[in-house]
Amino acid sequence: EGLIAVAPATRTLDFDVEGMHCSHCRQSVTRAIGDLPGVASCDVDLAAGRARVTGAAIDAQAVVAAVVALGFDCRPTAG
């Protein structure tokens, strides 16, 4: 019999990102997170200092590390 492939469930995680001041900062954070394995999309809100990451296999620690490597503070949003 044939096997049925089941796609992993998509989830969304929010992160607080501090230290972004301009659209270049936003683009850098978006690119760094978007290049991570398992990330399907990333929406960074400059004014709110937030990043919303969607994907099937998001590694929250990798997201934080990628953003911190750019010189910004980052942590998962509480709640």
Side-chain angles (χ1 to χ4, degrees):
E1 300 291 320
L3 298 175
I4 299 173
V6 177
T10 299
R11 66 181 184 151
T12 300
L13 298 177
D14 292 321
F15 296 84
D16 292 322
V17 181
E18 296 178 6
M20 295 185 297
H21 300 289
C22 64
S23 63
H24 178 73
C25 295
R26 184 187 65 76
Q27 290 172 343
S28 296
V29 171
T30 301
R31 188 176 307 114
I33 294 172
D35 286 346
L36 294 172
V39 173
S41 68
C42 176
D43 179 39
V44 178
D45 184 332
L46 178 63
R50 293 262 170 105
R52 174 163 280 180
V53 184
T54 303
I58 303 167
D59 180 344
Q61 290 180 335
V63 171
V64 170
V67 175
V68 168
L70 295 173
F72 303 107
D73 291 327
C74 181
R75 65 187 169 282
T77 301

